Tab-separated table of all heavy atoms in Angstrom:
chain	number	residue	atom	x	y	z
A	1130	LEU	N	14.814	-23.540	9.782
A	1130	LEU	CA	13.427	-23.583	9.368
A	1130	LEU	C	12.939	-24.882	9.213
A	1130	LEU	O	13.560	-25.669	8.490
A	1130	LEU	CB	13.252	-22.708	8.123
A	1130	LEU	CG	13.815	-21.299	8.117
A	1130	LEU	CD1	13.455	-20.599	6.789
A	1130	LEU	CD2	13.418	-20.447	9.291
A	1131	ILE	N	11.761	-25.184	9.666
A	1131	ILE	CA	11.040	-26.518	9.399
A	1131	ILE	C	9.656	-26.220	8.925
A	1131	ILE	O	9.087	-25.217	9.079
A	1131	ILE	CB	11.015	-27.378	10.687
A	1131	ILE	CG1	10.199	-26.701	11.735
A	1131	ILE	CG2	12.429	-27.734	11.153
A	1131	ILE	CD1	9.899	-27.568	12.952
A	1132	ARG	N	9.111	-27.190	8.284
A	1132	ARG	CA	7.698	-27.257	7.973
A	1132	ARG	C	7.145	-28.593	8.471
A	1132	ARG	O	7.788	-29.646	8.352
A	1132	ARG	CB	7.464	-27.107	6.478
A	1132	ARG	CG	7.861	-25.731	5.989
A	1132	ARG	CD	7.823	-25.626	4.450
A	1132	ARG	NE	6.414	-25.664	3.878
A	1132	ARG	CZ	5.893	-26.675	3.181
A	1132	ARG	NH1	6.612	-27.795	2.936
A	1132	ARG	NH2	4.690	-26.601	2.720
A	1133	PHE	N	5.924	-28.613	9.091
A	1133	PHE	CA	5.573	-29.783	9.742
A	1133	PHE	C	4.010	-30.000	9.500
A	1133	PHE	O	3.320	-29.044	9.102
A	1133	PHE	CB	5.791	-29.648	11.286
A	1133	PHE	CG	5.023	-28.419	11.933
A	1133	PHE	CD1	3.736	-28.694	12.455
A	1133	PHE	CD2	5.607	-27.212	11.908
A	1133	PHE	CE1	3.061	-27.559	13.013
A	1133	PHE	CE2	4.887	-26.094	12.476
A	1133	PHE	CZ	3.602	-26.274	13.022
A	1134	GLY	N	3.553	-31.267	9.676
A	1134	GLY	CA	2.119	-31.587	9.533
A	1134	GLY	C	1.923	-32.545	8.359
A	1134	GLY	O	2.877	-33.136	7.792
A	1135	GLU	N	0.698	-32.855	8.150
A	1135	GLU	CA	0.323	-33.813	7.111
A	1135	GLU	C	0.766	-33.290	5.730
A	1135	GLU	O	0.873	-32.126	5.512
A	1135	GLU	CB	-1.170	-33.999	7.160
A	1135	GLU	CG	-1.743	-34.543	8.468
A	1135	GLU	CD	-3.307	-34.651	8.369
A	1135	GLU	OE1	-3.816	-34.754	7.293
A	1135	GLU	OE2	-3.848	-34.598	9.399
A	1136	VAL	N	0.888	-34.272	4.842
A	1136	VAL	CA	1.297	-34.011	3.455
A	1136	VAL	C	0.229	-33.028	2.825
A	1136	VAL	O	-1.017	-33.284	2.956
A	1136	VAL	CB	1.378	-35.215	2.607
A	1136	VAL	CG1	1.610	-34.907	1.175
A	1136	VAL	CG2	2.394	-36.214	3.191
A	1137	GLY	N	0.700	-31.887	2.337
A	1137	GLY	CA	-0.162	-30.941	1.731
A	1137	GLY	C	-0.789	-29.925	2.654
A	1137	GLY	O	-1.458	-28.969	2.271
A	1138	LYS	N	-0.550	-30.161	3.953
A	1138	LYS	CA	-1.087	-29.254	5.012
A	1138	LYS	C	-0.006	-28.755	5.956
A	1138	LYS	O	-0.281	-28.382	7.041
A	1138	LYS	CB	-2.188	-29.966	5.801
A	1138	LYS	CG	-3.329	-30.392	4.955
A	1138	LYS	CD	-4.409	-31.166	5.816
A	1138	LYS	CE	-5.566	-31.576	4.948
A	1138	LYS	NZ	-6.568	-32.298	5.819
A	1139	GLU	N	1.220	-28.696	5.479
A	1139	GLU	CA	2.399	-28.344	6.346
A	1139	GLU	C	2.294	-26.901	6.744
A	1139	GLU	O	1.752	-25.991	6.014
A	1139	GLU	CB	3.663	-28.567	5.555
A	1139	GLU	CG	3.956	-30.041	5.321
A	1139	GLU	CD	3.519	-30.512	3.977
A	1139	GLU	OE1	2.640	-29.709	3.382
A	1139	GLU	OE2	3.920	-31.572	3.502
A	1140	LYS	N	2.757	-26.670	7.976
A	1140	LYS	CA	2.843	-25.323	8.536
A	1140	LYS	C	4.316	-25.003	8.710
A	1140	LYS	O	5.135	-25.798	8.970
A	1140	LYS	CB	2.111	-25.180	9.877
A	1140	LYS	CG	0.601	-25.432	9.806
A	1140	LYS	CD	-0.043	-25.257	11.194
A	1140	LYS	CE	-1.509	-25.398	11.141
A	1140	LYS	NZ	-2.130	-25.214	12.494
A	1141	PRO	N	4.602	-23.633	8.691
A	1141	PRO	CA	6.018	-23.160	8.936
A	1141	PRO	C	6.408	-23.253	10.448
A	1141	PRO	O	5.484	-22.960	11.325
A	1141	PRO	CB	6.068	-21.868	8.423
A	1141	PRO	CG	4.632	-21.315	8.613
A	1141	PRO	CD	3.754	-22.437	8.412
A	1142	GLY	N	7.646	-23.616	10.679
A	1142	GLY	CA	8.050	-23.641	12.105
A	1142	GLY	C	9.491	-23.323	12.199
A	1142	GLY	O	10.254	-23.143	11.169
A	1143	ILE	N	10.048	-23.339	13.401
A	1143	ILE	CA	11.524	-23.217	13.555
A	1143	ILE	C	11.930	-24.252	14.552
A	1143	ILE	O	11.240	-24.745	15.389
A	1143	ILE	CB	11.917	-21.825	14.065
A	1143	ILE	CG1	11.181	-21.451	15.408
A	1143	ILE	CG2	11.637	-20.744	13.071
A	1143	ILE	CD1	11.727	-20.216	16.120
A	1144	LEU	N	13.280	-24.572	14.475
A	1144	LEU	CA	13.911	-25.536	15.407
A	1144	LEU	C	14.823	-24.724	16.298
A	1144	LEU	O	15.735	-23.995	15.742
A	1144	LEU	CB	14.633	-26.541	14.561
A	1144	LEU	CG	15.333	-27.691	15.336
A	1144	LEU	CD1	14.360	-28.553	16.023
A	1144	LEU	CD2	16.208	-28.511	14.357
A	1145	ILE	N	14.636	-24.856	17.535
A	1145	ILE	CA	15.586	-24.203	18.552
A	1145	ILE	C	16.067	-25.332	19.440
A	1145	ILE	O	15.302	-25.921	20.264
A	1145	ILE	CB	14.901	-23.114	19.386
A	1145	ILE	CG1	14.277	-22.000	18.389
A	1145	ILE	CG2	15.837	-22.534	20.362
A	1145	ILE	CD1	13.546	-20.950	19.137
A	1146	GLY	N	17.348	-25.615	19.302
A	1146	GLY	CA	17.889	-26.798	20.077
A	1146	GLY	C	17.230	-28.030	19.524
A	1146	GLY	O	17.196	-28.280	18.238
A	1147	GLU	N	16.680	-28.764	20.312
A	1147	GLU	CA	15.926	-29.962	19.920
A	1147	GLU	C	14.394	-29.753	19.880
A	1147	GLU	O	13.614	-30.622	19.470
A	1147	GLU	CB	16.242	-31.194	20.951
A	1147	GLU	CG	17.690	-31.573	20.945
A	1147	GLU	CD	18.217	-32.141	19.593
A	1147	GLU	OE1	17.430	-32.823	18.943
A	1147	GLU	OE2	19.361	-31.725	19.248
A	1148	LYS	N	13.950	-28.590	20.128
A	1148	LYS	CA	12.486	-28.264	20.236
A	1148	LYS	C	12.095	-27.555	18.931
A	1148	LYS	O	12.766	-26.780	18.405
A	1148	LYS	CB	12.186	-27.381	21.453
A	1148	LYS	CG	12.496	-28.167	22.767
A	1148	LYS	CD	11.978	-27.256	23.908
A	1148	LYS	CE	12.149	-28.047	25.249
A	1148	LYS	NZ	11.721	-27.196	26.421
A	1149	ARG	N	10.777	-27.897	18.561
A	1149	ARG	CA	10.195	-27.408	17.377
A	1149	ARG	C	9.074	-26.396	17.788
A	1149	ARG	O	8.371	-26.713	18.723
A	1149	ARG	CB	9.598	-28.476	16.544
A	1149	ARG	CG	10.554	-29.553	16.088
A	1149	ARG	CD	9.767	-30.673	15.596
A	1149	ARG	NE	10.549	-31.852	15.147
A	1149	ARG	CZ	10.116	-32.986	14.526
A	1149	ARG	NH1	8.831	-33.174	14.335
A	1149	ARG	NH2	10.923	-33.982	14.239
A	1150	PHE	N	8.993	-25.266	17.101
A	1150	PHE	CA	7.926	-24.334	17.407
A	1150	PHE	C	7.198	-23.819	16.142
A	1150	PHE	O	7.765	-23.742	15.101
A	1150	PHE	CB	8.620	-23.087	18.059
A	1150	PHE	CG	9.225	-23.347	19.343
A	1150	PHE	CD1	10.547	-23.651	19.482
A	1150	PHE	CD2	8.442	-23.346	20.552
A	1150	PHE	CE1	11.195	-23.979	20.728
A	1150	PHE	CE2	9.045	-23.612	21.794
A	1150	PHE	CZ	10.364	-23.947	21.861
A	1151	ASP	N	5.920	-23.649	16.314
A	1151	ASP	CA	5.042	-23.190	15.269
A	1151	ASP	C	5.139	-21.755	15.092
A	1151	ASP	O	4.929	-20.941	16.109
A	1151	ASP	CB	3.621	-23.683	15.630
A	1151	ASP	CG	2.566	-23.352	14.608
A	1151	ASP	OD1	2.804	-22.569	13.660
A	1151	ASP	OD2	1.457	-23.949	14.704
A	1152	VAL	N	5.389	-21.204	13.835
A	1152	VAL	CA	5.508	-19.817	13.626
A	1152	VAL	C	4.442	-19.363	12.551
A	1152	VAL	O	4.491	-18.347	11.929
A	1152	VAL	CB	6.855	-19.336	13.077
A	1152	VAL	CG1	7.890	-19.539	14.185
A	1152	VAL	CG2	7.292	-19.998	11.801
A	1153	SER	N	3.412	-20.227	12.421
A	1153	SER	CA	2.363	-20.012	11.401
A	1153	SER	C	1.535	-18.687	11.739
A	1153	SER	O	0.805	-18.144	10.843
A	1153	SER	CB	1.401	-21.183	11.262
A	1153	SER	OG	0.678	-21.501	12.426
A	1154	SER	N	1.557	-18.189	13.002
A	1154	SER	CA	0.960	-16.946	13.249
A	1154	SER	C	1.676	-15.719	12.762
A	1154	SER	O	1.203	-14.615	12.662
A	1154	SER	CB	0.775	-16.794	14.780
A	1154	SER	OG	1.972	-16.810	15.430
A	1155	ILE	N	3.024	-16.003	12.345
A	1155	ILE	CA	3.912	-14.925	11.858
A	1155	ILE	C	4.056	-15.073	10.413
A	1155	ILE	O	4.174	-14.053	9.624
A	1155	ILE	CB	5.290	-14.980	12.629
A	1155	ILE	CG1	5.029	-14.998	14.109
A	1155	ILE	CG2	6.179	-13.868	12.178
A	1155	ILE	CD1	6.346	-15.317	14.921
A	1156	VAL	N	4.225	-16.290	9.923
A	1156	VAL	CA	4.562	-16.584	8.497
A	1156	VAL	C	3.535	-17.463	7.878
A	1156	VAL	O	3.085	-18.421	8.517
A	1156	VAL	CB	5.913	-17.303	8.437
A	1156	VAL	CG1	6.356	-17.745	7.084
A	1156	VAL	CG2	7.056	-16.429	9.017
A	1157	THR	N	3.162	-17.149	6.664
A	1157	THR	CA	2.174	-18.001	5.917
A	1157	THR	C	2.847	-19.352	5.512
A	1157	THR	O	2.246	-20.432	5.794
A	1157	THR	CB	1.667	-17.300	4.669
A	1157	THR	OG1	1.085	-16.092	5.102
A	1157	THR	CG2	0.650	-18.177	3.969
A	1158	ASP	N	3.990	-19.330	4.897
A	1158	ASP	CA	4.670	-20.483	4.483
A	1158	ASP	C	6.088	-20.066	4.088
A	1158	ASP	O	6.415	-18.867	3.769
A	1158	ASP	CB	4.003	-21.254	3.370
A	1158	ASP	CG	4.263	-22.738	3.330
A	1158	ASP	OD1	5.224	-23.178	4.066
A	1158	ASP	OD2	3.710	-23.433	2.527
A	1159	TYR	N	7.019	-21.027	3.965
A	1159	TYR	CA	8.271	-20.782	3.451
A	1159	TYR	C	8.297	-21.030	1.901
A	1159	TYR	O	8.696	-22.100	1.459
A	1159	TYR	CB	9.429	-21.640	4.110
A	1159	TYR	CG	9.489	-21.489	5.625
A	1159	TYR	CD1	9.566	-22.518	6.486
A	1159	TYR	CD2	9.440	-20.164	6.161
A	1159	TYR	CE1	9.661	-22.246	7.867
A	1159	TYR	CE2	9.522	-19.932	7.564
A	1159	TYR	CZ	9.691	-20.996	8.405
A	1159	TYR	OH	9.747	-20.830	9.660
A	1160	ASN	N	7.797	-19.990	1.193
A	1160	ASN	CA	7.618	-20.158	-0.245
A	1160	ASN	C	8.282	-19.005	-0.975
A	1160	ASN	O	9.024	-18.175	-0.392
A	1160	ASN	CB	6.033	-20.209	-0.520
A	1160	ASN	CG	5.344	-19.049	0.068
A	1160	ASN	OD1	5.968	-18.077	0.418
A	1160	ASN	ND2	4.045	-19.245	0.182
A	1161	GLU	N	8.049	-18.927	-2.247
A	1161	GLU	CA	8.696	-17.861	-3.004
A	1161	GLU	C	8.374	-16.500	-2.517
A	1161	GLU	O	9.244	-15.648	-2.360
A	1161	GLU	CB	8.214	-17.952	-4.398
A	1161	GLU	CG	8.889	-16.989	-5.419
A	1161	GLU	CD	8.511	-17.086	-6.907
A	1161	GLU	OE1	7.936	-18.196	-7.282
A	1161	GLU	OE2	8.553	-16.154	-7.624
A	1162	ALA	N	7.147	-16.190	-2.092
A	1162	ALA	CA	6.782	-14.937	-1.555
A	1162	ALA	C	7.491	-14.618	-0.250
A	1162	ALA	O	7.952	-13.421	-0.067
A	1162	ALA	CB	5.215	-14.890	-1.377
A	1163	PHE	N	7.688	-15.617	0.568
A	1163	PHE	CA	8.355	-15.458	1.846
A	1163	PHE	C	9.754	-14.954	1.604
A	1163	PHE	O	10.255	-13.950	2.136
A	1163	PHE	CB	8.310	-16.733	2.666
A	1163	PHE	CG	9.222	-16.708	3.826
A	1163	PHE	CD1	8.856	-16.111	5.062
A	1163	PHE	CD2	10.524	-17.280	3.825
A	1163	PHE	CE1	9.754	-16.096	6.138
A	1163	PHE	CE2	11.429	-17.305	4.906
A	1163	PHE	CZ	10.967	-16.662	6.013
A	1164	PHE	N	10.539	-15.654	0.764
A	1164	PHE	CA	11.914	-15.291	0.515
A	1164	PHE	C	12.024	-14.031	-0.217
A	1164	PHE	O	12.925	-13.154	0.006
A	1164	PHE	CB	12.695	-16.451	-0.206
A	1164	PHE	CG	12.788	-17.750	0.645
A	1164	PHE	CD1	11.990	-18.746	0.360
A	1164	PHE	CD2	13.711	-17.775	1.652
A	1164	PHE	CE1	12.169	-19.991	1.139
A	1164	PHE	CE2	13.849	-18.924	2.487
A	1164	PHE	CZ	13.061	-19.968	2.171
A	1165	GLU	N	11.213	-13.773	-1.191
A	1165	GLU	CA	11.210	-12.611	-2.076
A	1165	GLU	C	11.011	-11.303	-1.281
A	1165	GLU	O	11.545	-10.338	-1.595
A	1165	GLU	CB	10.186	-12.664	-3.182
A	1165	GLU	CG	10.219	-11.610	-4.239
A	1165	GLU	CD	9.234	-11.837	-5.308
A	1165	GLU	OE1	8.171	-12.445	-5.041
A	1165	GLU	OE2	9.583	-11.568	-6.522
A	1166	ASN	N	10.163	-11.365	-0.214
A	1166	ASN	CA	9.846	-10.275	0.516
A	1166	ASN	C	10.605	-10.095	1.892
A	1166	ASN	O	10.060	-9.691	2.886
A	1166	ASN	CB	8.307	-10.179	0.773
A	1166	ASN	CG	7.534	-10.077	-0.433
A	1166	ASN	OD1	7.662	-8.999	-1.130
A	1166	ASN	ND2	6.789	-11.050	-0.855
A	1167	ASP	N	11.891	-10.580	1.806
A	1167	ASP	CA	12.746	-10.475	3.024
A	1167	ASP	C	12.183	-11.167	4.210
A	1167	ASP	O	12.331	-10.727	5.410
A	1167	ASP	CB	13.002	-8.998	3.361
A	1167	ASP	CG	13.823	-8.239	2.279
A	1167	ASP	OD1	14.698	-8.886	1.656
A	1167	ASP	OD2	13.509	-7.097	2.023
A	1168	GLY	N	11.546	-12.298	3.960
A	1168	GLY	CA	10.941	-13.100	5.073
A	1168	GLY	C	11.890	-13.527	6.195
A	1168	GLY	O	11.476	-13.525	7.311
A	1169	LEU	N	13.062	-13.859	5.748
A	1169	LEU	CA	14.066	-14.318	6.742
A	1169	LEU	C	14.315	-13.234	7.757
A	1169	LEU	O	14.406	-13.422	8.923
A	1169	LEU	CB	15.304	-14.745	6.102
A	1169	LEU	CG	15.288	-16.163	5.390
A	1169	LEU	CD1	16.572	-16.382	4.602
A	1169	LEU	CD2	15.051	-17.279	6.440
A	1170	GLU	N	14.595	-11.987	7.282
A	1170	GLU	CA	14.986	-10.915	8.133
A	1170	GLU	C	13.821	-10.492	9.005
A	1170	GLU	O	13.952	-10.221	10.212
A	1170	GLU	CB	15.430	-9.738	7.310
A	1170	GLU	CG	16.887	-9.835	6.702
A	1170	GLU	CD	17.907	-10.107	7.862
A	1170	GLU	OE1	17.884	-9.374	8.957
A	1170	GLU	OE2	18.669	-11.052	7.786
């Protein structure tokens, strides 16, 4: 899991190999709510 973008405006993403992908259409952020609600699965 990665977060990318300007300070305070980061979006969630994933790293596959050497490439980075934006998952902000699927996930709001990698925060307490994400982990608490089985966000990884």
Side-chain angles (χ1 to χ4, degrees):
L1130 310 186
I1131 61 169
R1132 294 172 69 249
F1133 62 92
E1135 298 175 28
V1136 176
K1138 298 180 181 179
E1139 293 92 346
K1140 294 181 178 181
I1143 58 170
L1144 183 66
I1145 301 176
E1147 297 298 317
K1148 294 185 177 181
R1149 306 170 180 178
F1150 296 93
D1151 183 344
V1152 297
S1153 61
S1154 63
I1155 306 169
V1156 174
T1157 301
D1158 205 352
Y1159 299 137
N1160 53 19
E1161 182 176 338
F1163 169 81
F1164 293 107
E1165 185 174 36
N1166 294 297
D1167 296 320
L1169 284 173
E1170 285 303 312

